[in-house]
Structure formats: C-alpha cells, structure tokens
Amino acid sequence: MQQKGAIQIIEWEDLDKRKFYSLGVFMTLTTRATVYPASLIRTRLQVQKGKTLYTGTFDAFCKILRAEGVQGLYRGFMVNTLALIAGQAYITTYELVRKYVSFYSPSNTVKSLVAGGSASLVAQTITVPIDVVSQHLMMQGQVGGNLNRFKVKSKMMLAPTKPKVTFGQSRDITMQIYAADGFRGFYKGYIASLLAYIPNSALWWPFYHFYSEQLSLLAPSQCPHLILQAFAGPMAAATASTITNPMDVVRARVQVEGNSSIIETFKQLLREEGVWVITKGLSARIISSMPTSVLIVVGYETLKKLSLRSDLIETRHW
C-alpha cells in the first residue's frame, strides 16, 4: 500500500517516447481549441483603452458572439495551431531539464521551478511570432476597437462586422508586419512575453505539486490521485496568473500596438487607468487558465500514464 500523501511523479526515463509524442499532439490541439475563445477575449480586454468597448469578460463574450458569431471567438485560431510545435518543445524541455536538475538537487520544487522556466523560454521563442500574427487576427472585426496599426488595403479586413478569416488575411498581416519592422517585428513583445510567461510557468509547476501533495494529505487514502491533481492544477493556475498578470497586460499591449519599450508601455497604462490596470483581463485569464489547467493536468497525467513503459505499469498506483 502506497504511503498516504505520496503522489508518484512519472519522470522522463519512465516513458515510451513514441506513444508520448503521438498522443501529445492530439492532447495539445484539443486543449487549445477548448480554451481559445477565452484567450481571444482576454487579449481584447487587455488591448482596449479603459472600457471603451467591453466592460468585462461576459460583456465581451456576448458582444463578440452577437457581432461576429461563433467564428469571431476563433479568429486567428488556424494560425495559432502552428504553436503545436511549441507545445511539444515545451513538454520535452520540461522533462529533460527536470532530469538534468535532479543530478544536482533532489528537491521537487527546485526541479519544477527550473524546468518550468526553461520550458517556457524555449516555447516562447517559437510561439511569439505566431502570437503576434494571431493577436492581430484576434482584433480583426472588433467594432470600434483599435484594430490594427498597419494600413490595410483589403476591404474585407476593414469590414466592421463578420469579416471572413482566411489564410490570405493571415498572409497579408504577416507581410505588413515584415514590411513595417522586418524580422524583428515578429518578436515585438518578446522580452515582455519572457517576463510574463517564464515566471508563470516557473511558478505553476511548484504550486501544482505543492497543492497536489497538500490535497493528498487531506483526502481519503483511496481517493484517485488524478482527481486531486485535477483540483491542484486550477489552484496553481489561479495563483500564478494573479502574480504575473501585470506583465501579461504589458505583453499584450506591446505585441498588438507595436511599442518597443516595456517600461514606457507600463507607465502609459498607469497614466490611462491607474493602479487597477494590474487586474485588467485577470478574470478572463483565470477563466482561461483554470479549465486549461484541468485539461492539461488530466490530459498530461493521463498521457504520461498511457505512455508509461510496459515494464513499469504494474508497479504504479494511481
């Protein structure tokens, strides 16, 4: 009988890598499709000045649905699916760094902190150019919003309601970004992204393992570990999102408006909206991150269990 409170962590060397990667792509795509509308709403809330268009998360959801239809909630999604590569890079980096750090420190907190931050660094380097294009697509069709800093010739892109999103539109935006700023334009907000996502990822994993262990101490010994982990994920997400939200607001504004200075952008936000700007889009971010965390935790832990080497299956208790 496994000692109460001891949740077994499946490490990199325990996995059948072929199963792990083939199932991982499907899990990542499913997760992104589920939470994308909340990410779009969060971006629009963070980029708008004050409450010129949306007063909150629910108001934004209703207005987007009414003005643009369901497709409006998935504006830019096809481009965003390219980030599947980043998802695979993230989990590979996380697991490999955990293994490497274990040679120097047995502490699970240290391993999770370093591996989570490292994984985010690698993933963001791949993701930021995709996000830059995707976020401009997210803003298309927003009535009365600050849609795009580029001059767009296409009438379709200037249409105020329900413009059709196409690959041509994505190509146009990509070319406009390159024409305006060159290759560096695709890394607008890169430093801001690192400052927002590296701490978020570095904090999420230690909090996740901490909450998992604490819940396992409180729960009956027969309670499945997956249920405890499913609760621990959203708790970790809410904690990490609250701590890192100010930098996420700056990141979104820098990437969409093309500002180069993180400090100046932050000062501008403070002048426009005061200290409460640090909570801007936080509810949408938590709404997005909490179910995402449930999906990630259940999906990732299940993925690891399904990918467990056949000779280890009988030795693990869930």
Side-chain angles (χ1 to χ4, degrees):
M1 179 68 68
Q2 186 181 12
Q3 184 180 359
K4 184 177 180 181
I7 291 183
Q8 292 177 303
I9 297 175
I10 300 174
E11 301 290 1
W12 181 249
E13 59 271 18
D14 301 330
L15 299 172
D16 179 329
K17 308 304 186 299
R18 185 172 56 183
K19 291 181 181 178
F20 183 71
Y21 283 115
S22 59
L23 293 172
V25 171
F26 175 76
M27 183 202 77
T28 303
L29 181 60
T30 302
T31 301
R32 285 184 175 275
T34 303
V35 304
Y36 190 81
S39 297
L40 180 141
I41 291 170
R42 182 192 72 199
T43 297
R44 291 198 179 183
L45 285 172
Q46 290 177 336
V47 171
Q48 74 170 351
K49 296 183 184 298
K51 295 184 178 180
T52 54
L53 187 56
Y54 309 122
T55 59
T57 302
F58 184 71
D59 180 62
F61 174 78
C62 292
K63 286 182 177 177
I64 293 170
L65 199 60
R66 185 165 56 248
E68 305 170 50
V70 175
Q71 69 177 25
L73 295 171
Y74 282 90
R75 200 170 298 284
F77 177 71
M78 293 302 295
V79 172
N80 195 262
T81 57
L82 296 174
L84 285 172
I85 300 170
Q88 299 307 300
Y90 180 95
I91 58 178
T92 300
T93 303
Y94 177 77
E95 295 294 345
L96 288 176
V97 172
R98 270 187 67 91
K99 180 180 178 180
Y100 179 77
V101 174
S102 67
F103 295 132
Y104 300 93
S105 173
S107 170
N108 186 53
T109 299
V110 173
K111 289 190 288 186
S112 300
L113 186 73
V114 176
S118 301
S120 184
L121 172 61
V122 172
Q124 286 305 305
T125 302
I126 300 171
T127 301
V128 166
I130 300 170
D131 278 348
V132 169
V133 176
S134 178
Q135 286 174 345
H136 278 89
L137 286 168
M138 285 180 179
M139 303 307 292
Q140 295 295 321
Q142 176 177 283
V143 182
N146 182 21
L147 299 184
N148 200 317
R149 69 188 181 93
F150 304 109
K151 293 181 179 179
V152 184
K153 294 181 180 181
S154 172
K155 292 182 180 180
M156 177 186 67
M157 295 178 70
L158 294 175
T161 57
K162 297 186 179 180
K164 183 180 179 181
V165 179
T166 66
F167 283 107
Q169 189 174 349
S170 304
R171 184 175 60 248
D172 288 343
I173 289 177
T174 301
M175 295 303 295
Q176 289 152 17
I177 292 172
Y178 184 78
D181 298 305
F183 184 74
R184 290 184 302 176
F186 296 103
Y187 278 90
K188 287 287 185 182
Y190 177 62
I191 300 300
S193 289
L194 295 184
L195 292 176
Y197 287 121
I198 287 180
N200 188 78
S201 179
L203 289 171
W204 189 89
W205 287 100
F207 275 121
Y208 165 61
H209 290 300
F210 170 76
Y211 288 135
S212 295
E213 291 298 332
Q214 294 305 307
L215 288 172
S216 70
L217 293 173
L218 298 173
S221 58
Q222 67 271 21
C223 182
H225 288 165
L226 190 60
I227 293 178
L228 303 179
Q229 291 166 326
F231 277 100
M235 292 169 67
T239 305
S241 295
T242 300
I243 294 172
T244 61
N245 194 68
M247 201 61 240
D248 194 50
V249 176
V250 175
R251 174 200 61 79
R253 183 68 68 90
V254 167
Q255 287 184 333
V256 173
E257 294 194 347
N259 301 327
S260 58
S261 172
I262 295 172
I263 295 175
E264 287 303 315
T265 300
F266 185 63
K267 288 180 178 178
Q268 179 185 348
L269 285 165
L270 285 176
R271 285 195 301 268
E272 290 175 356
E273 304 177 52
V275 70
W276 290 106
V277 72
I278 65 174
T279 65
K280 193 170 187 178
L282 179 59
S283 62
R285 192 176 182 208
I286 291 177
I287 289 171
S288 171
S289 66
M290 291 182 71
T292 302
S293 294
V294 174
L295 290 171
I296 288 175
V297 166
V298 173
Y300 192 57
E301 295 294 347
T302 301
L303 168 65
K304 291 172 77 175
K305 290 165 188 173
L306 292 174
S307 304
L308 194 64
R309 286 174 18 216
S310 57
D311 58 307
L312 297 175
I313 293 176
E314 296 301 323
T315 67
R316 298 305 171 103
H317 169 69
W318 313 121

